[in-house]
Amino acid sequence: MSATPEDRPHLSPETSPRVVVIGAGIVGCSLADELTARGWTDVTVLEQGPLPAPGGSTSHAPGLVFRTSPSKTLTEFARYTVEKFGALSHDGVPCFEPVGGLELATTPERLADLHRRAGLAAAWGVRGEVVNPARCKELWPLLDESVVLGGFHTPEDGLARAVSACRAQLDRATARGARFLDRHTVTGIERADGRVTGVVTDRGVFPADHVVSAVGFWGPVIGRMAGIDVPLQPLAHQYARTRPLPELSGARAEATLPILRFQDADLYFREHHDRIGIGSYAHRPLPVDPFGVPGYDEARGRGMEMPSSYPFTEEDWAPSWADARRLVPALRGVEVESGFNGVFSFTPDGMPVLGEARELRGFWLAEAVWVTHSAGVARAVAEWMVDGRSSIDVHDCDVTRFEEAQRSPAYVRERGSQQFVEVYDVTHPLQPMERPRPLRVSPFHARQEQLGAFFLEGGGWERPHWYEANAPLVAHLDPMPERDPWSARYWSPVAAAEARATRERVALYDMTPLRRLEVTGPGALDFLDRMTTNKLRKKPGAVTYTLLLDETGGIRSDLTVARLAEDHFQIGANSPADLDHLLRHAPAGGPSRSSEAESGGVHIRDITSGTCCIGIWGPLARALVQPLTGDDFSHEGFGYFRARRTHIGHVPVTAMRLSYVGELGWELYTTADLGLRLWDTLWEAGQELGAIAAGRSAFNSLRLEKGYRAWGTDMTAEHTPAEAGVGFAVRMDKGDFVGRDALRDRPEPTRRLTPLLLDDPAAVVLGKEPVSVDGTTAGYVTSAAYGYTLGRCVAYAWLPAGLAPGTGVHIEYVGEKVPATVAEEPLFDPEMTRIRR
């Protein structure tokens, strides 16, 4: 964890890096405050409009802060925003008003979702409760109680006064040495030798060691100046204020009622003294070209109040106005006094875009951030800049998370627009975007379609979750427990049949979407050995499970590293961020803009798109593969965690004896052009053995039965190897590696990733549910899936260390307390006899 700003020594102006922040909205002002509090006082904030309300999204933001989100990271951002703004005031006016939040349900589906949101709140430490219609009426007397089925009340949520918060933080940062310059339009970004060197404006050049783009929906414009793609789509969003309501006459405070969400109609409400402000996401998406947004003075000349405030479109408003009046009868006696279409930023996955661009070192992004998360984002980015990492995990906000295929303007526009549509939708955690699909397919896609694959999407890849061709196998299973509608969505009993076939016979799994990197050159071994935790100095043919840590010992990723030759390694990685991390730390020679780089005798290349992989797993895997190759695939001839180049039929492959499902088998890699031939060869040979194709649903069940962790879900940079149960992958005696010193100084863990078995064979949870011990919320579920071999749902959860196997706990699922028991891992085949045979 980073030291608090108060603990941090202040640097002298001579030693403080020169930072230029572009944009003096809520993110830019918050960032200047956070940086100067950490001793980086040579901070210049440039703004094209007039201060304190320069005309971006901050200037018109309604200021609603609901902290609860399916994303733990966003909830942490919002929690800090409430904490910080709650302690700030400007001209005697608080920057945050804790009036509370109330989300309403008018359908049974929404009421169930509010129970799930209450579970998320408990998991992330936000106080809230699901209340009945009468309580909703008490909290918001203007409601028509008859249309409400219930609500979710969060008493510490409320209203952020964004402009006031900007001014309060501007004053604090200025007192520490920062300067804020309005009416400075940025026209260019200067660079030299792969680093940013300055910002060009219409009023001069500002030298810089670090530049942060915090300009909101103008992000793509500044990004283009820096040669950086910013995957962000601005969209207009309707907001209207009514004329005065008699029911609110005499109101002295700006707001006293909770901020209100009527999500079934895509609406929200807040008070403005004796008026009501209403925002709508119910209308058609209204994309805005960031390169066509007028400047402040030009916007005023067009009759717009500010650049982010587009003319109100009455035709889009009519249905929302009818829904608002249905919920709040008092609105039937008034009309709309004013309205506008305010521009906000959306990304393809709905998350912010944060971090330093590898293509231009020192150029940072803090974009697609709403007021709700603004102070939390600013703290995370300031920590990242000053300390090298954020104190909370931000991998799902990192600019490096997007695949190249997800960066096209058409993709960003389409997915960003869909994010707008789904802002208030009841969205299942497995629910994919419907367009544009298919985008990325493996070479086996045609065969998978023939087998009736049900595809979900990840990273742009079409990923089979089960195959309808296996439906007849369900008849041979014991009757499956009936699932509730939520857990039954994006699930099929076919997954149970595929899991059983894997345990009893053999199955083909498409592992192509998993990331593959190639590291070669005379410096490859030394480089990888320094970057990872396990011993890699093994003979060619060895495969090693290892970790990437940050300097504090947090888990950045987990990898499998196969040494194919003296200077040739193939890495199984998790995300584009792994490639970015390795490229940033490659020996002297500088980072590369592309997906590969060679420097200091190390060549790093992403080979995912040009290759493919089939996992062939099950007790009959050897019987399937051995007749197809002249090489010895016996246990003695091809041991566990070994790799070799060989041929399967006519196809050259790299075979690795690995298993993520706890069964005998191999991962078989080849080039994309030969992938279909490899599939057909294995499929034809496997028919007499009863081989099937199996999908991700069965795969996830099998891996949880073995206790195999999924990075990004079960463990992140917030966790250490000992906490996450992967300390076996750390060799402290191998010599220096990134994070070693921090691990040496770490105290004994106070929390651990803990396996749980649900007591009721029919019970299922999905992940992110709160877990209580002795009646008190003590942690949350990470991954969960029904263990078809065990006949119980398996869940992994972050819980206090020291809970002995057999300890009873409860998992809250849609408002119900589901009993579970701490288990001893691995839950399946603890002797590893099935893999090592």
Side-chain angles (χ1 to χ4, degrees), residues 152-397:
F152 175 46
H153 179 222
T154 47
E156 280 93 29
D157 287 343
L159 288 168
R161 296 184 174 93
V163 174
S164 293
C166 283
R167 297 190 68 180
Q169 294 178 101
L170 182 155
D171 290 345
R172 297 203 315 189
T174 300
R176 299 188 192 110
R179 57 177 177 166
F180 289 75
L181 304 176
D182 62 1
R183 297 293 189 176
H184 281 65
T185 299
V186 173
T187 58
I189 305 295
E190 292 189 333
R191 68 197 90 175
D193 300 323
R195 285 202 62 92
V196 70
T197 60
V199 176
V200 182
T201 75
D202 58 350
R203 299 174 67 176
V205 178
F206 295 83
D209 303 302
H210 297 271
V211 173
V212 186
S213 177
V215 295
F217 56 77
W218 281 290
V221 178
I222 299 299
R224 180 175 292 183
M225 295 179 191
I228 306 298
D229 293 326
V230 179
L232 176 161
Q233 175 60 54
L235 287 109
H237 155 65
Q238 289 202 302
Y239 191 79
R241 292 194 193 193
T242 68
R243 294 188 182 279
L245 274 69
E247 293 82 354
L248 299 178
S249 63
R252 295 182 179 180
E254 180 184 359
T256 58
L257 300 178
I259 50 177
L260 185 71
R261 278 175 167 170
F262 180 20
Q263 289 149 303
D264 289 321
D266 294 308
L267 296 174
Y268 63 81
F269 302 76
R270 60 152 294 180
E271 294 170 280
H272 293 280
H273 295 285
D274 60 353
R275 294 163 168 79
I276 296 291
I278 307 168
S280 172
Y281 292 100
H283 54 84
R284 62 194 168 95
L286 299 168
V288 172
D289 178 6
F291 294 90
V293 176
Y296 189 90
D297 294 326
E298 182 185 355
R300 305 280 285 191
R302 293 187 192 178
M304 299 163 58
E305 184 177 345
M306 62 186 79
S308 61
S309 177
Y310 275 52
F312 196 60
T313 48
E314 295 283 355
E315 65 276 15
D316 293 308
W317 177 249
S320 293
W321 186 227
D323 286 331
R325 288 174 152 184
R326 176 167 62 90
L327 180 70
V328 183
L331 296 177
R332 297 168 191 169
V334 298
E335 297 298 328
V336 169
E337 182 176 64
S338 62
F340 63 94
N341 290 359
V343 183
F344 289 88
S345 302
F346 289 80
T347 59
D349 59 4
M351 298 294 286
V353 178
L354 312 178
E356 184 187 28
R358 190 185 72 253
E359 302 92 332
L360 183 59
R361 299 295 291 271
F363 183 82
W364 296 78
L365 296 171
E367 300 292 17
V369 181
W370 292 9
V371 171
T372 299
H373 310 114
S374 56
V377 163
R379 179 181 64 170
V381 173
E383 291 174 336
W384 206 342
M385 295 174 70
V386 176
D387 302 334
R389 73 185 293 273
S390 166
S391 59
I392 67 170
D393 174 59
V394 291
H395 81 272
D396 51 2
C397 304

Side-chain angles (χ1 to χ4, degrees), residues 72 89 105-106 113 208 230 254 291 342 398 441 545 552 558 784 828:
K72 181 174 180 288
S89 63
T106 60
D113 191 56
V230 179
E254 180 184 359
F291 294 90
D398 195 323
V441 298
Y545 177 78
T552 69
D558 63 341
F828 176 77

Side-chain angles (χ1 to χ4, degrees), residues 575-736:
S575 76
D578 294 339
L579 173 64
D580 181 83
H581 184 65
L582 293 176
L583 290 175
R584 286 177 185 272
H585 288 82
S592 168
R593 176 183 173 82
S594 67
S595 61
E596 58 182 279
E598 182 168 14
S599 61
V602 179
H603 186 81
I604 305 171
R605 187 164 69 103
D606 188 330
I607 61 172
T608 308
S609 297
T611 56
C612 59
C613 177
I614 297 174
I616 186 82
W617 291 310
L620 300 182
R622 184 175 288 116
L624 193 162
V625 175
Q626 184 62 82
L628 301 175
T629 179
D631 285 324
D632 183 2
F633 270 58
S634 69
H635 181 62
E636 296 73 20
F638 197 151
Y640 189 52
F641 264 75
R642 299 293 298 173
R644 70 167 49 146
R645 287 171 169 153
T646 183
H647 288 80
I648 299 297
H650 297 91
V651 181
V653 301
T654 297
M656 298 186 196
R657 191 171 167 194
L658 308 174
S659 176
Y660 207 53
V661 301
E663 295 292 336
L664 171 69
W666 288 265
E667 293 179 356
L668 303 175
Y669 300 88
T670 192
T671 53
D673 59 322
L674 292 168
L676 191 58
R677 183 60 177 263
L678 177 62
W679 179 281
D680 289 344
T681 300
L682 293 166
W683 184 260
E684 181 179 346
Q687 291 315 289
E688 63 183 32
L689 300 174
I692 66 162
R696 297 287 301 182
S697 187
F699 177 88
N700 200 44
S701 168
L702 297 170
R703 72 101 178 165
L704 280 173
E705 290 184 331
K706 283 298 293 179
Y708 294 147
R709 279 62 166 149
W711 185 86
T713 302
D714 298 316
M715 56 189 186
T716 68
E718 290 186 2
H719 309 113
T720 66
E723 292 173 331
V726 290
F728 62 87
V730 179
R731 295 291 185 266
M732 296 294 287
D733 60 347
K734 77 163 194 169
D736 192 34

